[in-house]
Amino acid sequence: MPDRRPATEWLADAVLYQIYPQSFADSDGDGIGDFAGIEARLDHLSWLGVNTVWLNPCFASPFLDAGYDVSDYFSVAPRYGTNDDLARLVEAARGRGIRVLLDLVAGHTSDAHPWFTASANDPADQRYIWANPEDPATLPDGFVASPGSRPGFYLPNFFESQPALNFGYARRDPAEPWRLPVDAEGPRANRQALRDVMDHWLSLGLSGFRVDMAASLVKDDPDQSATSALWRELRGWLDTTHPHAALLSEWGDPATSVPAGFHGDFFLQFGPVQDGIALRSLWNNFEGTVSEPWEPLEPYFGAEAQGSPRTFLDIWRSTTDTIGDAGFACLPTANHDFSRLCCGPRTAEQLPAAFAFQLTWPTLPAIYYGDEIGMRYVPGLPDHEGSRLGPRYNRAGSRTPMQWDATVNAGFSTAPADKLYLPLDPNPARPNVADQRADPESLLNLVRRLIELRTSRPELGSQGTARVLHDGYPLVYVRGEHHLVIVNPGRADASFDLPPEYADRAATPLLAQGVEVTGGRVRAAGFGFGIFEV
């Protein structure tokens, strides 16, 4: 490090780790995590084998949406420290071979941003989307009354406190004159502002961005062609000025976002492909974060073995056929908006099989902080910084403090318990890093061994082939030519007879729990997994 390879090259070897900075490690005892706290815990990530970290938004913000409401793109929020503190964190991470990505909120700002304050008082300003019809009843749903001297209404992107930046409309409508084209003055200024923000942070040593709500920029863009054109323009600039920098998107559709210019995109719990069913069909057990429109679906990683991997596999195949080697699909364990792996009926004993799959499937793996020790989605928490999105959708349960040890506040902070950013998991048996690191049979040590195996054997990485031999219980697949993977997420034992071309090969276990291969027959105990060289 610094490794100046183009992002398309180094991302192939990436193991991502998502840090929600408020909840990771508090260095100054105020109850909120910060940059110095993250820096002090970098050795954990290095030991684990992580080489790329994504930080949730850390820019100045009133925190009505946990930092996704930015009031200054060029300054960090004081709760985390200073710009210099972030620079020190990036340098310390680089010294351990770890890249740091920031979260770029591209489609909107906070209503406290000076851009919006000025726009709300200047009828000529085009930086946001404003409408002032003679009859407000004719406005489409969603517009909000101006808070300034400017008459009319603005369009938010998510919460009302997040006015949408104006990147234009893909389709014009004479009845709606506020629909500016993508090449109007305001949209051009906003595209330049994105370049300025990215250039600023990349010049200080950051390695790229995860882009929030990346598909939301150009409005009324049904095939997303105009939004894709915008990102291709920005990718062209990035390849010229910062070729080592990565762009990952929150789009939820790699088959669209990678051709649009992103290096990678996440399978998400939402998105244009059946509302994120690919990810939900693996993990979601209808506990924790539940969107009301979702229909109940048994996940493949469920103890009762009532799910199927086919939904995920079919979408993954279609996706990879489309993107080829132009970029990557990312598979997260969870994220700040979605239930953790350990949620509801899914218990700690079920997690090894889930990690064995995630860390051997040909996607970019993204581990959400704390999942490596089996931290639990904590139900029943109050709404905090906009965490509640629906009657059964409270994101706070996935944002609780990292559990480092068995000391006060699980080693997260020295603040009084009632001053913590969110309450700790109240379960007295909650897992922690220190105990699991000392236990060679722990989930944490297993995740470390899986990462080490993936890193040392390219056939198990993000590139290369995956041939599925059995898409039930157990799931059986071959990576490349020489690695056989068996995963049984169900409680009951399962078996499978290998096809002739593999039945006669010797199967040498590389990492296995409860799985054996003898005489061409796979026997997998409940919640077992195995990775074999064949």
Side-chain angles (χ1 to χ4, degrees), residues 15 50 97 109-110 116 216 224 228 243 274 303 380 384 394 399 433 445 450 495 498 506:
V15 177
V50 166
T109 69
S110 164
F116 185 72
S216 73
Q224 299 183 309
S228 296
Q274 300 180 62
H384 188 58
N394 187 357
R399 301 174 175 183
V433 171
N445 273 292
L450 284 166
S495 60
L498 293 172

PDB file of all heavy atoms in Angstrom, residues 15 50 97 109-110 116 216 224 228 243 274 303 380 384 394 399 433 445 450 495 498 506:
ATOM      1  N   VAL A  15     -12.403  -8.007   0.480  1.00  0.00           N
ATOM      2  CA  VAL A  15     -13.349  -8.483   1.488  1.00  0.00           C
ATOM      3  C   VAL A  15     -13.811  -7.235   2.224  1.00  0.00           C
ATOM      4  O   VAL A  15     -13.035  -6.612   2.960  1.00  0.00           O
ATOM      5  CB  VAL A  15     -12.700  -9.487   2.459  1.00  0.00           C
ATOM      6  CG1 VAL A  15     -13.698  -9.895   3.542  1.00  0.00           C
ATOM      7  CG2 VAL A  15     -12.207 -10.722   1.702  1.00  0.00           C
ATOM      8  N   VAL A  50      -9.930  -8.575   6.750  1.00  0.00           N
ATOM      9  CA  VAL A  50     -10.639  -7.546   5.984  1.00  0.00           C
ATOM     10  C   VAL A  50      -9.627  -6.629   5.309  1.00  0.00           C
ATOM     11  O   VAL A  50      -8.612  -6.260   5.896  1.00  0.00           O
ATOM     12  CB  VAL A  50     -11.557  -6.741   6.929  1.00  0.00           C
ATOM     13  CG1 VAL A  50     -12.039  -5.466   6.275  1.00  0.00           C
ATOM     14  CG2 VAL A  50     -12.714  -7.595   7.396  1.00  0.00           C
ATOM     15  N   GLY A  97      -2.896  -2.377   5.202  1.00  0.00           N
ATOM     16  CA  GLY A  97      -3.394  -2.944   3.956  1.00  0.00           C
ATOM     17  C   GLY A  97      -4.891  -2.852   3.797  1.00  0.00           C
ATOM     18  O   GLY A  97      -5.492  -3.665   3.087  1.00  0.00           O
ATOM     19  N   THR A 109     -29.616  16.490  -0.110  1.00  0.00           N
ATOM     20  CA  THR A 109     -28.894  17.037   1.027  1.00  0.00           C
ATOM     21  C   THR A 109     -29.847  17.118   2.210  1.00  0.00           C
ATOM     22  O   THR A 109     -31.009  16.736   2.130  1.00  0.00           O
ATOM     23  CB  THR A 109     -28.364  18.455   0.731  1.00  0.00           C
ATOM     24  OG1 THR A 109     -29.475  19.361   0.630  1.00  0.00           O
ATOM     25  CG2 THR A 109     -27.540  18.493  -0.535  1.00  0.00           C
ATOM     26  N   SER A 110     -29.359  17.648   3.299  1.00  0.00           N
ATOM     27  CA  SER A 110     -30.230  18.058   4.401  1.00  0.00           C
ATOM     28  C   SER A 110     -30.899  19.382   4.044  1.00  0.00           C
ATOM     29  O   SER A 110     -30.352  20.190   3.276  1.00  0.00           O
ATOM     30  CB  SER A 110     -29.393  18.236   5.669  1.00  0.00           C
ATOM     31  OG  SER A 110     -30.101  18.966   6.643  1.00  0.00           O
ATOM     32  N   PHE A 116     -29.510  24.557   0.216  1.00  0.00           N
ATOM     33  CA  PHE A 116     -30.972  24.566   0.260  1.00  0.00           C
ATOM     34  C   PHE A 116     -31.500  25.851   0.879  1.00  0.00           C
ATOM     35  O   PHE A 116     -32.513  26.400   0.431  1.00  0.00           O
ATOM     36  CB  PHE A 116     -31.504  23.364   1.044  1.00  0.00           C
ATOM     37  CG  PHE A 116     -33.006  23.268   1.011  1.00  0.00           C
ATOM     38  CD1 PHE A 116     -33.665  22.887  -0.152  1.00  0.00           C
ATOM     39  CD2 PHE A 116     -33.769  23.594   2.125  1.00  0.00           C
ATOM     40  CE1 PHE A 116     -35.054  22.815  -0.201  1.00  0.00           C
ATOM     41  CE2 PHE A 116     -35.150  23.521   2.092  1.00  0.00           C
ATOM     42  CZ  PHE A 116     -35.795  23.134   0.922  1.00  0.00           C
ATOM     43  N   SER A 216     -31.555   7.209  -7.896  1.00  0.00           N
ATOM     44  CA  SER A 216     -32.606   8.202  -7.652  1.00  0.00           C
ATOM     45  C   SER A 216     -32.360   9.557  -8.280  1.00  0.00           C
ATOM     46  O   SER A 216     -33.181  10.456  -8.127  1.00  0.00           O
ATOM     47  CB  SER A 216     -32.778   8.397  -6.137  1.00  0.00           C
ATOM     48  OG  SER A 216     -31.685   9.138  -5.596  1.00  0.00           O
ATOM     49  N   GLN A 224     -34.215   4.106 -16.531  1.00  0.00           N
ATOM     50  CA  GLN A 224     -32.995   4.543 -15.848  1.00  0.00           C
ATOM     51  C   GLN A 224     -31.856   4.844 -16.817  1.00  0.00           C
ATOM     52  O   GLN A 224     -30.686   4.869 -16.419  1.00  0.00           O
ATOM     53  CB  GLN A 224     -32.572   3.514 -14.800  1.00  0.00           C
ATOM     54  CG  GLN A 224     -33.649   3.331 -13.718  1.00  0.00           C
ATOM     55  CD  GLN A 224     -33.260   2.396 -12.620  1.00  0.00           C
ATOM     56  OE1 GLN A 224     -32.826   1.269 -12.870  1.00  0.00           O
ATOM     57  NE2 GLN A 224     -33.417   2.821 -11.386  1.00  0.00           N
ATOM     58  N   SER A 228     -28.281   6.375 -15.779  1.00  0.00           N
ATOM     59  CA  SER A 228     -27.105   5.592 -16.169  1.00  0.00           C
ATOM     60  C   SER A 228     -26.118   6.442 -16.953  1.00  0.00           C
ATOM     61  O   SER A 228     -24.896   6.351 -16.745  1.00  0.00           O
ATOM     62  CB  SER A 228     -27.539   4.381 -17.008  1.00  0.00           C
ATOM     63  OG  SER A 228     -28.338   3.494 -16.257  1.00  0.00           O
ATOM     64  N   PRO A 243      -8.014   6.684 -11.198  1.00  0.00           N
ATOM     65  CA  PRO A 243      -8.319   5.338 -11.712  1.00  0.00           C
ATOM     66  C   PRO A 243      -8.298   4.249 -10.652  1.00  0.00           C
ATOM     67  O   PRO A 243      -8.871   3.180 -10.857  1.00  0.00           O
ATOM     68  CB  PRO A 243      -7.233   5.110 -12.767  1.00  0.00           C
ATOM     69  CG  PRO A 243      -6.134   6.054 -12.407  1.00  0.00           C
ATOM     70  CD  PRO A 243      -6.798   7.255 -11.813  1.00  0.00           C
ATOM     71  N   GLN A 274     -37.871  -7.402  -8.392  1.00  0.00           N
ATOM     72  CA  GLN A 274     -38.809  -8.010  -7.445  1.00  0.00           C
ATOM     73  C   GLN A 274     -38.550  -7.549  -6.008  1.00  0.00           C
ATOM     74  O   GLN A 274     -38.580  -8.340  -5.066  1.00  0.00           O
ATOM     75  CB  GLN A 274     -38.765  -9.527  -7.537  1.00  0.00           C
ATOM     76  CG  GLN A 274     -39.118 -10.081  -8.906  1.00  0.00           C
ATOM     77  CD  GLN A 274     -39.063 -11.593  -8.930  1.00  0.00           C
ATOM     78  OE1 GLN A 274     -39.804 -12.259  -8.218  1.00  0.00           O
ATOM     79  NE2 GLN A 274     -38.178 -12.142  -9.755  1.00  0.00           N
ATOM     80  N   ALA A 303     -33.949 -22.856   9.406  1.00  0.00           N
ATOM     81  CA  ALA A 303     -33.718 -24.149  10.047  1.00  0.00           C
ATOM     82  C   ALA A 303     -34.686 -25.224   9.582  1.00  0.00           C
ATOM     83  O   ALA A 303     -34.357 -26.417   9.602  1.00  0.00           O
ATOM     84  CB  ALA A 303     -33.804 -23.997  11.570  1.00  0.00           C
ATOM     85  N   GLY A 380     -37.538  -4.105  19.591  1.00  0.00           N
ATOM     86  CA  GLY A 380     -38.179  -3.282  20.612  1.00  0.00           C
ATOM     87  C   GLY A 380     -37.497  -1.980  20.935  1.00  0.00           C
ATOM     88  O   GLY A 380     -37.823  -1.356  21.960  1.00  0.00           O
ATOM     89  N   HIS A 384     -34.816   6.102  16.483  1.00  0.00           N
ATOM     90  CA  HIS A 384     -33.648   6.943  16.772  1.00  0.00           C
ATOM     91  C   HIS A 384     -33.037   7.423  15.463  1.00  0.00           C
ATOM     92  O   HIS A 384     -32.687   6.608  14.598  1.00  0.00           O
ATOM     93  CB  HIS A 384     -32.618   6.162  17.587  1.00  0.00           C
ATOM     94  CG  HIS A 384     -31.472   7.000  18.080  1.00  0.00           C
ATOM     95  ND1 HIS A 384     -31.658   8.111  18.875  1.00  0.00           N
ATOM     96  CD2 HIS A 384     -30.135   6.913  17.883  1.00  0.00           C
ATOM     97  CE1 HIS A 384     -30.479   8.661  19.149  1.00  0.00           C
ATOM     98  NE2 HIS A 384     -29.538   7.951  18.554  1.00  0.00           N
ATOM     99  N   ASN A 394     -37.901  -1.220  11.946  1.00  0.00           N
ATOM    100  CA  ASN A 394     -37.076  -0.316  12.746  1.00  0.00           C
ATOM    101  C   ASN A 394     -35.615  -0.701  12.577  1.00  0.00           C
ATOM    102  O   ASN A 394     -35.172  -1.757  13.042  1.00  0.00           O
ATOM    103  CB  ASN A 394     -37.473  -0.379  14.222  1.00  0.00           C
ATOM    104  CG  ASN A 394     -36.739   0.672  15.049  1.00  0.00           C
ATOM    105  OD1 ASN A 394     -35.898   1.409  14.541  1.00  0.00           O
ATOM    106  ND2 ASN A 394     -37.060   0.742  16.318  1.00  0.00           N
ATOM    107  N   ARG A 399     -28.323  -1.551  14.526  1.00  0.00           N
ATOM    108  CA  ARG A 399     -27.344  -0.473  14.676  1.00  0.00           C
ATOM    109  C   ARG A 399     -26.814  -0.349  16.102  1.00  0.00           C
ATOM    110  O   ARG A 399     -26.244   0.681  16.468  1.00  0.00           O
ATOM    111  CB  ARG A 399     -27.981   0.852  14.254  1.00  0.00           C
ATOM    112  CG  ARG A 399     -28.473   0.876  12.816  1.00  0.00           C
ATOM    113  CD  ARG A 399     -29.218   2.166  12.488  1.00  0.00           C
ATOM    114  NE  ARG A 399     -29.593   2.234  11.062  1.00  0.00           N
ATOM    115  CZ  ARG A 399     -30.203   3.282  10.491  1.00  0.00           C
ATOM    116  NH1 ARG A 399     -30.519   4.331  11.233  1.00  0.00           N
ATOM    117  NH2 ARG A 399     -30.493   3.255   9.208  1.00  0.00           N
ATOM    118  N   VAL A 433     -16.110  -9.949  21.018  1.00  0.00           N
ATOM    119  CA  VAL A 433     -14.897 -10.242  20.262  1.00  0.00           C
ATOM    120  C   VAL A 433     -13.855 -10.934  21.125  1.00  0.00           C
ATOM    121  O   VAL A 433     -13.241 -11.930  20.715  1.00  0.00           O
ATOM    122  CB  VAL A 433     -14.316  -8.946  19.647  1.00  0.00           C
ATOM    123  CG1 VAL A 433     -12.932  -9.206  19.053  1.00  0.00           C
ATOM    124  CG2 VAL A 433     -15.261  -8.384  18.583  1.00  0.00           C
ATOM    125  N   ASN A 445     -13.497 -16.985  14.840  1.00  0.00           N
ATOM    126  CA  ASN A 445     -12.342 -17.682  14.291  1.00  0.00           C
ATOM    127  C   ASN A 445     -12.684 -18.435  13.021  1.00  0.00           C
ATOM    128  O   ASN A 445     -11.847 -18.553  12.114  1.00  0.00           O
ATOM    129  CB  ASN A 445     -11.751 -18.619  15.344  1.00  0.00           C
ATOM    130  CG  ASN A 445     -10.732 -17.919  16.231  1.00  0.00           C
ATOM    131  OD1 ASN A 445      -9.650 -17.543  15.759  1.00  0.00           O
ATOM    132  ND2 ASN A 445     -11.082 -17.706  17.488  1.00  0.00           N
ATOM    133  N   LEU A 450     -12.317 -18.738   7.078  1.00  0.00           N
ATOM    134  CA  LEU A 450     -12.967 -18.688   5.768  1.00  0.00           C
ATOM    135  C   LEU A 450     -12.375 -17.580   4.899  1.00  0.00           C
ATOM    136  O   LEU A 450     -12.140 -17.772   3.700  1.00  0.00           O
ATOM    137  CB  LEU A 450     -14.469 -18.475   5.947  1.00  0.00           C
ATOM    138  CG  LEU A 450     -15.287 -19.687   6.388  1.00  0.00           C
ATOM    139  CD1 LEU A 450     -16.667 -19.257   6.852  1.00  0.00           C
ATOM    140  CD2 LEU A 450     -15.393 -20.714   5.254  1.00  0.00           C
ATOM    141  N   SER A 495     -28.339 -35.335   2.465  1.00  0.00           N
ATOM    142  CA  SER A 495     -27.317 -36.059   1.715  1.00  0.00           C
ATOM    143  C   SER A 495     -27.527 -35.840   0.221  1.00  0.00           C
ATOM    144  O   SER A 495     -28.583 -35.381  -0.230  1.00  0.00           O
ATOM    145  CB  SER A 495     -27.357 -37.560   2.036  1.00  0.00           C
ATOM    146  OG  SER A 495     -28.618 -38.095   1.692  1.00  0.00           O
ATOM    147  N   LEU A 498     -22.930 -37.413  -5.534  1.00  0.00           N
ATOM    148  CA  LEU A 498     -22.224 -36.599  -6.524  1.00  0.00           C
ATOM    149  C   LEU A 498     -22.337 -37.229  -7.909  1.00  0.00           C
ATOM    150  O   LEU A 498     -22.400 -38.457  -8.048  1.00  0.00           O
ATOM    151  CB  LEU A 498     -20.755 -36.477  -6.136  1.00  0.00           C
ATOM    152  CG  LEU A 498     -20.450 -35.681  -4.862  1.00  0.00           C
ATOM    153  CD1 LEU A 498     -18.975 -35.824  -4.492  1.00  0.00           C
ATOM    154  CD2 LEU A 498     -20.815 -34.208  -5.040  1.00  0.00           C
ATOM    155  N   ALA A 506     -10.970 -37.969  -5.038  1.00  0.00           N
ATOM    156  CA  ALA A 506     -10.737 -37.847  -3.597  1.00  0.00           C
ATOM    157  C   ALA A 506     -11.132 -36.437  -3.160  1.00  0.00           C
ATOM    158  O   ALA A 506     -10.832 -35.458  -3.847  1.00  0.00           O
ATOM    159  CB  ALA A 506      -9.272 -38.109  -3.275  1.00  0.00           C
TER     160      ALA A 506
END
